[in-house]
Amino acid sequence: MPLPNLMTLSNPLALTPVGSARRWWQRLTPHRQDRVAMLAPLAAVLLFFAAIVAALGYLRVEEVDREQEAMQRDVEYTQQRLRLRLLERQEQLTRIAREVSSRELDLDEFRARAGTMVNQYPELQGLAWIDERRRLKAGVGNAAHLYSARTPGRSSETQQGSDTQTGFNQARDANQPVYEQPPRHSEFSPFLQMYVPLNERGRFSGVLLAEYSVDGLYRYGVPDEVSARYAVSLLDSNGATLAGISIPARKTVGWLLPWTNASNGYAMPVSPVGKSLVIRAQAYRASLGVIGSGLFWLVAALSVMTAWMLIANWRHTRRRLQAQQALISETNFRRAMENSMLTGMRAMDLQGRITYVNAAFCQMTGWSESDLVGRTAPFPYWPDSDREHLALRLDEELSGKTSSGGFQVRVQRKDQSLFDARLYVSPLIDAMGTQTGWVTSMTDITEPNRVREQLSASHQRFTTVLEALDASISVAPLGSDELLFANKLYRQWFGTLASGHLQLVAQAGIPPSATGDEFSDSVDSFAGLPTTALPDTETGSTEIYIAELKKWLEVRTRYLSWVDGRLAQMVIATDITVRRLAEEQAALQAERAQNSSRLITMGEMASSVAHELNQPLTAINNYCNGMVSRIKAQQINEEDLLGVLEKTGRQAQRAGQIVQRIRAFVKRSEPNRTPSEVGLMVAEAVELSEIELRRFNVRLNHYVAERLPLLLVDPILIEQVLVNLLRNAVESIDMAGRATPNRLVELRVVPRQIEGKPVIEFTVQDTGKGLAPEVMQRLYEAFYSTKANGMGIGLSLCRSIVESHLGRMTAENIYNGPELAGCRFSFWIPLTEVGVPRARTPNNSN
């Protein structure tokens, strides 16, 4: 290297930087030294090539700048020519506008002057006189024709070309000449419009519209010497070519050589038109200049080849360094894995000598690596009682008789404690494919063995419990007749086949297990489970009767994922024959109690019923005696006789209705729940209770809401509840001794929302003395009554009837300040699907 030679220079000022560089080089790592040694020549080549490119680029830029300055001067000269030409025409048109505004020119004279200008100046295509209402008054040349062509189908009074509105308005507002480049039309060549305002005595009276041919401006305004050197063109504000020659953009290698460009050009707007008319000149490219020299391309090729060789050498060296680094990393990674894994590793040669053990193996056995490496059988971790067995295992291992599933042995630690381990043996192959020994992995399975024993005991206990249950339990997969599980009671009832399981499912009305294509449509083939989530709770129970067993069974089912991933259905069937018999007996007793309650109610109301029947019977007797007396005296005619007989019939009909209503109320019948109208049930109960109401001189106010839906109830039982509540209210008022104005019972029937479901609420409110706290606690207790002759079954039966209809009954006292003012009993019945609204007149009465 040249660095030592530089140290021998006699100049002491040069020793300082050289010594610093040497010390910097020595501090670098070998890897960094190799990288600097490879990159320094490459950087030198690149700097040399950059210097050549910079020099050539500088020369080219200088050349382009000179061309650009010459072009700019020529373009400015041409723009001045065009500007003077336009200003001359503008001055002439301004004079004509002043003469028109002062009425020095009439239409004929205007046409003559305009024709002279159009013929004299070829770039001027036409001239038009437009009044303040945008009507064309006179025109010469193409101006009048183009103005009419742009507004076809319009009369001369209403002509206002859409293309001329902008220029017309600007000239009117600015009160000075305005140039405008109208939109191009396929029918017309590009042209330029100038609007000169007309002011008659300070008032705007129209414009003079002059139209220039852009092509004429180019032909007669651009000098020949300029058009010979450059490609000159006139452009609009969007860069579109209106006249002249344009050099199309060429694809260049500007991304390789920074000084190259597509074309050398210069553009500037034409005054006084402005940005709507731009003149542009582009230089013709006659040669490639210095870029085409062979020396440049030779230097570039040699530099690229040198750089490529250096880069290839550097990449090769870098790959070698990366391979070395990857090998070091892989070695460190494998060593870290071996030291961190919980599985013990042991390597032996073909003679059975231990050549390697990892840290986990030493930790398991308690022996260090130095104690084990180099040892032969018997090994120190062999228990004394198992040495013969382990020696045979070792001989089989060395002879290649190994099992892929491994084998279980006992291992003795250095502290003489034992643990269970499973060994897996595989051959050790070197890079040449030759076996050099055996590798054994050892796993401590003491804890898994303990867990397996506990699971086995737990399974045994679970199976014992299921076998002892008094319910049949069966599990079968969906879409198969296989029986996955059945306890003892199922086997006693149905045997060991799945037919009993399917029979329970079918009779319980549970959707059958899908099979075949039907099952594949609703089940995810990847997971083996339905596409919808399984329910977290059990389904509702169903009671069925099995004729073969002569038993009533309560069947419950749910879906579950079996141990093998299949979707299965579990059915639990419980024998409820005894319970069903008890329920039937209880229902029969309840029905008898209800009939007895109605008979007791009628018995308690017997005196009132007798008084009620006595009135029509007395009237009938009086009518009959009166008719007999008048017939004997021959003082009655046929008309009077008929009137008396009609009155007698009505009284007999009244008595018959009372008897019929009482018979229907106390008649014993089977429970029959039908869609019933609330108004009819309330009316029947009110009519039955009116006897007691009149007897105790109590007034009844009742209200039934409109359009109440039908209720699925037994109407006789609901009437019984209402009658009992009304009678209790009347008796409470009588016992309280209320004055006549305060003897009032209110009955209200309205729809409500309770616990988020629609119900019909019945409320009976009285003005009695209310309920004492001790009575409130035992209100619904059977055979408890506050009446001297009461049996104590009325309210208990009422609540049973309401709850049998899935309703609830409540009672509460009513207070007027601190004073107890009465009691309110309420019960509600939930609506069902039959509860459709019915249009009814509200049944309200006082």
Side-chain angles (χ1 to χ4, degrees), residues 141-159:
N142 292 336
H145 172 68
L146 293 175
Y147 185 79
S148 302
R150 287 193 296 272
T151 57
R154 299 184 184 180
S155 62
S156 58
E157 291 80 11
T158 61
Q159 280 185 349

Side-chain angles (χ1 to χ4, degrees), residues 43 51 111 343 652 698 745 830:
R111 291 189 183 96
T343 302
V698 176
V745 175

Side-chain angles (χ1 to χ4, degrees), residues 486-508:
N487 68 343
K488 179 179 179 181
L489 190 58
Y490 177 90
R491 296 193 299 270
Q492 290 178 355
W493 285 352
F494 304 104
T496 58
L497 300 178
S499 57
H501 177 93
L502 299 177
Q503 179 183 1
L504 293 175
V505 171
Q507 284 194 239

Side-chain angles (χ1 to χ4, degrees), residues 78-94:
T78 304
Q79 190 267 350
Q80 289 295 330
R81 287 280 302 270
L82 292 174
R83 177 176 177 273
L84 292 175
R85 197 173 187 88
L86 290 174
L87 288 177
E88 289 177 2
R89 302 293 89 75
Q90 178 179 333
E91 182 64 27
Q92 294 173 356
L93 292 174
T94 302

Side-chain angles (χ1 to χ4, degrees), residues 78-120:
T78 304
Q79 190 267 350
Q80 289 295 330
R81 287 280 302 270
L82 292 174
R83 177 176 177 273
L84 292 175
R85 197 173 187 88
L86 290 174
L87 288 177
E88 289 177 2
R89 302 293 89 75
Q90 178 179 333
E91 182 64 27
Q92 294 173 356
L93 292 174
T94 302
R95 287 198 297 270
I96 295 176
R98 285 198 297 268
E99 294 176 3
V100 170
S101 300
S102 60
R103 298 187 180 182
E104 297 178 7
L105 292 178
D106 55 9
L107 295 177
D108 295 335
E109 293 175 347
F110 172 77
R111 291 189 183 96
R113 291 278 295 276
T116 302
M117 289 189 65
V118 170
N119 294 330
Q120 183 178 359

Side-chain angles (χ1 to χ4, degrees), residues 778-795:
R778 305 179 61 185
L779 189 61
Y780 301 108
E781 184 177 333
F783 305 109
Y784 173 76
S785 175
T786 58
K787 304 176 185 178
N789 298 322
M791 296 185 62
I793 62 174
L795 287 177

Side-chain angles (χ1 to χ4, degrees), residues 575-751:
D575 186 0
I576 59 170
T577 305
V578 177
R579 193 186 75 187
R580 282 296 296 255
L581 294 177
E583 290 177 352
E584 292 176 359
Q585 291 294 331
L588 181 60
Q589 294 296 334
E591 181 184 354
R592 291 175 180 174
Q594 293 166 6
N595 292 329
S596 300
S597 177
R598 291 197 293 271
L599 292 175
I600 292 171
T601 301
M602 287 297 100
E604 294 175 350
M605 295 172 60
S607 59
S608 300
V609 171
H611 176 73
E612 190 71 16
L613 287 175
N614 186 51
Q615 293 181 0
L617 293 178
T618 302
I620 292 172
N621 183 42
N622 292 335
Y623 287 142
C624 292
N625 291 333
M627 286 188 296
V628 170
S629 300
R630 295 183 65 180
I631 290 173
K632 288 180 178 181
Q634 297 182 354
Q635 295 177 355
I636 187 171
N637 53 27
E638 183 176 354
E639 183 179 356
D640 294 339
L641 181 60
L642 290 175
V644 174
L645 290 176
E646 289 177 355
K647 292 180 180 180
T648 304
R650 285 196 295 270
Q651 293 297 327
Q653 184 179 5
R654 177 186 173 191
Q657 289 176 349
I658 295 174
V659 174
Q660 182 65 27
R661 192 176 299 116
I662 294 174
R663 285 188 59 197
F665 183 72
V666 300
K667 180 181 178 182
R668 178 184 178 89
S669 61
E670 295 295 329
N672 181 22
R673 297 190 182 184
T674 59
S676 306
E677 293 190 18
V678 177
L680 294 180
M681 292 187 295
V682 173
E684 291 292 335
V686 169
E687 289 180 1
L688 286 172
S689 303
E690 282 182 347
I691 301 173
E692 290 290 296
L693 291 168
R694 287 194 294 270
R695 175 186 174 188
F696 291 100
N697 193 21
V698 176
R699 182 161 45 93
L700 172 65
N701 292 341
H702 70 281
Y703 167 78
V704 181
E706 296 182 359
R707 297 179 59 82
L708 288 179
L710 299 178
L711 283 180
L712 185 61
V713 296
D714 189 332
I716 298 299
L717 296 180
I718 300 302
E719 291 173 16
Q720 179 179 350
V721 174
L722 291 174
V723 169
N724 282 336
L725 293 180
L726 290 173
R727 286 189 65 252
N728 289 343
V730 170
E731 293 176 355
S732 177
I733 293 174
D734 185 65
M735 293 175 62
R738 301 295 185 186
T740 301
N742 296 330
R743 301 172 74 87
L744 175 64
V745 175
E746 292 185 0
L747 170 61
R748 293 177 59 84
V749 183
V750 293

